[in-house]
Amino acid sequence: MTTSTRAARAGLLDAHLNLLAEALLPYRAAEPLLARWGTELAGILVGGGRLLVAGNGGSAAEAQHLTAELVGRLRDDRQPLSAIALHAETSALTAIGNDYGYDEVFARQVRAHGRPGDVLLLMSTSGASGNLLAAVDAARETGLRCWAFTGPAPNPLAGACHEALTVASPDSQVVQELHLVSTHVLCEYVDRALPTALAALAGQTAAVTATRSAAAPVDLPGPVVDDLPGPVVDELPGPPVADAGPVRAGVEVVVDGVDPAADGHRGDPA
């Protein structure tokens, strides 16, 4: 029995759940990808990088859900992590759309906010949105890593990104629902990887500090006066003497830079 036949015979809920059930089996293969992305993302975010996210329509809501989990928290309390939903900045979005066209609404923000090593994650059920494809081009030019949540592969967005999680369902609602599951699982893996990422960052910081300390110039001890013989006046030329004054020896006191014993001249260097 085909999917359409089952949907026609079932109620709306059963039909929807049947579509979801059919998509779940192949979707289980996404586990290793989500685990790896979560680990990589944890290292990037604790190291000062950021996640840029975008989508259109329902996918925009999904993308904003993801940033809320990272900037806020998923379960346990932890440090906030930098994640920006590009479509949520409505003034910038409408200004860019008005001045440059809707295809540039995300690309221009990627160029403004993205830094090499950051991640751009795009969500789309079709994988064919022009503004998301333009954002990928901008991200690659800027040095960002590009990931995508999409519907069935192949599609243009999945092909343009470095990696993509694709949901094998013809129904856009099912695709979005599994994108939400992906969002939660990805955040779970980020949280799980954070302690290791923080420990690695602390180790790198300690190594850099140690390297800088080792490379710092070493202050050599000056001459130990007590271990040296006293000054031999006959072997060292002294300053010109105008008249037969007292012989100078030992430590001299200089007041305000003037040696009163030097008859108006500066004293010898200490």
Side-chain angles (χ1 to χ4, degrees), residues 5-268:
T5 302
R6 282 198 300 270
R9 293 183 179 181
L12 290 178
L13 178 59
D14 283 344
H16 189 89
L17 291 177
N18 286 335
L19 290 172
L20 184 59
E22 289 180 354
L24 280 174
L25 186 60
Y27 173 73
R28 290 178 183 274
E31 173 91 17
L33 179 62
L34 290 169
R36 180 163 54 79
W37 280 7
T39 300
E40 291 179 14
L41 194 56
I44 291 167
L45 296 181
V46 301
R50 64 177 49 149
L51 174 68
L52 305 181
V53 191
N56 295 295
S59 294
E62 300 276 1
Q64 201 163 339
H65 190 137
L66 173 57
T67 60
E69 304 286 21
L70 293 174
V71 178
R73 67 175 186 176
L74 182 67
R75 295 185 187 277
D76 301 324
D77 192 24
R78 54 151 168 76
Q79 70 181 75
L81 302 171
S82 180
I84 301 173
L86 300 180
H87 54 274
E89 183 57 75
T90 55
S91 294
L93 189 79
T94 53
I96 296 168
N98 186 62
D99 294 342
Y100 299 96
Y102 194 67
D103 278 357
E104 286 296 309
V105 293
F106 300 138
R108 191 166 180 85
Q109 292 187 75
V110 168
R111 293 187 179 97
H113 301 305
R115 300 292 181 269
D118 289 348
V119 173
L120 174 68
L121 174 57
L122 301 171
M123 299 188 184
S124 172
T125 57
S126 68
S129 300
N131 56 6
L132 300 182
L133 293 170
V136 174
D137 291 340
R140 284 181 171 273
E141 292 169 4
T142 310
L144 278 71
R145 188 155 184 79
C146 302
W147 298 341
F149 288 172
T150 75
N155 62 73
L157 183 60
C161 289
H162 293 97
E163 293 183 285
L165 186 156
T166 62
V167 177
S169 174
D171 189 278
S172 61
Q173 297 172 30
V174 170
V175 171
Q176 287 180 349
E177 287 159 5
L178 291 182
H179 284 178
L180 178 58
V181 174
S182 302
T183 289
H184 286 154
V185 174
L186 177 63
C187 291
E188 290 264 17
Y189 273 115
V190 169
D191 283 0
R192 181 179 294 186
L194 277 179
T196 301
L198 288 167
L201 179 65
Q204 292 170 7
T205 302
V208 170
T209 302
T211 301
R212 289 177 177 173
S213 298
V218 179
D219 291 334
L220 298 176
V224 181
V225 178
D226 291 342
D227 294 342
L228 298 175
V232 180
V233 177
D234 293 339
E235 295 179 4
L236 298 175
V241 180
D243 51 33
V247 178
R248 298 183 178 186
V251 178
E252 299 180 358
V253 178
V254 179
V255 180
D256 294 332
V258 178
D259 180 359
D263 195 24
H265 296 284
R266 285 191 174 274
D268 295 336

